[in-house]
Amino acid sequence: ISKDDYLSAYERKLKRQRDFERFAGYKISIKFFKAFNGEKVKICTLLGRDSEKTFVETDDGEKLEIENKLIAEVKLYEEF
């Protein structure tokens, strides 16, 4: 994926299944409708997504399955 494509996607939410497939392995920011495990926003690596859950890995290697109905939005996360 080119840097321009990455920046274009960074400016918008990931919504479609193909967005989640295309950016698997990338760092993402997940905003929740209500706090999830005490967090309103979670920064993690996207592993994949199906019709019910989003699969991610935290920086400490913990793999999580998050129900899609709990997620308000997902965006690519740019580290500075």
Side-chain angles (χ1 to χ4, degrees):
I1 188 167
S2 74
K3 186 175 181 176
D4 289 338
D5 287 342
Y6 180 83
L7 292 175
S8 293
Y10 177 73
E11 295 170 356
R12 65 178 169 80
K13 299 175 191 174
L14 302 184
K15 295 180 181 179
R16 295 175 281 211
Q17 182 61 31
R18 74 176 190 216
D19 295 335
F20 288 89
E21 292 168 3
R22 181 178 187 186
F23 294 105
Y26 283 77
K27 221 32 138 176
I28 58 170
S29 169
I30 300 176
K31 288 187 183 178
F32 299 99
F33 290 111
K34 294 183 180 180
F36 176 80
N37 291 342
E39 297 177 291
K40 187 76 172 151
V41 176
K42 184 151 204 67
I43 308 301
C44 48
T45 301
L46 176 63
L47 299 177
R49 183 179 180 138
D50 65 21
S51 62
E52 296 180 13
K53 295 181 180 177
T54 298
F55 306 94
V56 299
E57 185 173 349
T58 63
D59 286 341
D60 61 0
E62 180 183 8
K63 292 184 179 178
L64 302 173
E65 296 181 5
I66 304 168
E67 290 184 61
N68 294 337
K69 66 183 179 182
L70 302 176
I71 298 172
E73 73 176 28
V74 178
K75 290 184 175 182
L76 289 178
Y77 178 75
E78 186 174 8
E79 296 183 74
F80 295 98

